[in-house]
Amino acid sequence: MTLGNFNRITQDPYVMGGKPCIRGMRLTVGRILSQIGAGETIEELLIDYPYLEREDVLQSLQYAAWLAQGREVALA
């Protein structure tokens, strides 16, 4: 898998400081992931952000998994 596989994840130095965002909007992948990590469901995210689509959230999770596979870091 490559960055090109993520058609809903965009990076623009003029939008949110170049952080990965959802379809060029001012909603970062990190924001989505932190809300999922805090226990919010996909359905709740879709209510909170009516312009967000289920595939946006799923691709954010896939993107995070892809990044996590990039290298191993000792936690202890």
Side-chain angles (χ1 to χ4, degrees):
M1 189 169 270
T2 67
L3 188 56
N5 293 98
F6 301 102
N7 61 335
R8 292 175 174 263
I9 310 294
T10 57
Q11 285 185 280
D12 181 337
Y14 300 105
V15 177
M16 301 301 286
K19 292 179 182 178
C21 292
I22 304 296
R23 294 182 284 123
M25 296 183 281
R26 301 182 77 71
L27 178 59
T28 65
V29 171
R31 177 76 170 163
I32 297 299
L33 296 173
S34 66
Q35 288 185 251
I36 292 283
E40 196 160 338
T41 66
I42 293 176
E43 289 72 27
E44 290 169 327
L45 283 171
L46 297 176
I47 291 168
D48 291 345
Y49 303 98
Y51 47 86
L52 193 63
E53 298 172 7
R54 178 175 295 280
E55 185 60 33
D56 297 327
V57 179
L58 295 176
Q59 199 166 102
S60 294
L61 292 167
Q62 292 169 343
Y63 180 75
W66 177 71
L67 287 177
Q69 293 175 25
R71 60 183 133 147
E72 292 184 23
V73 178
L75 298 177

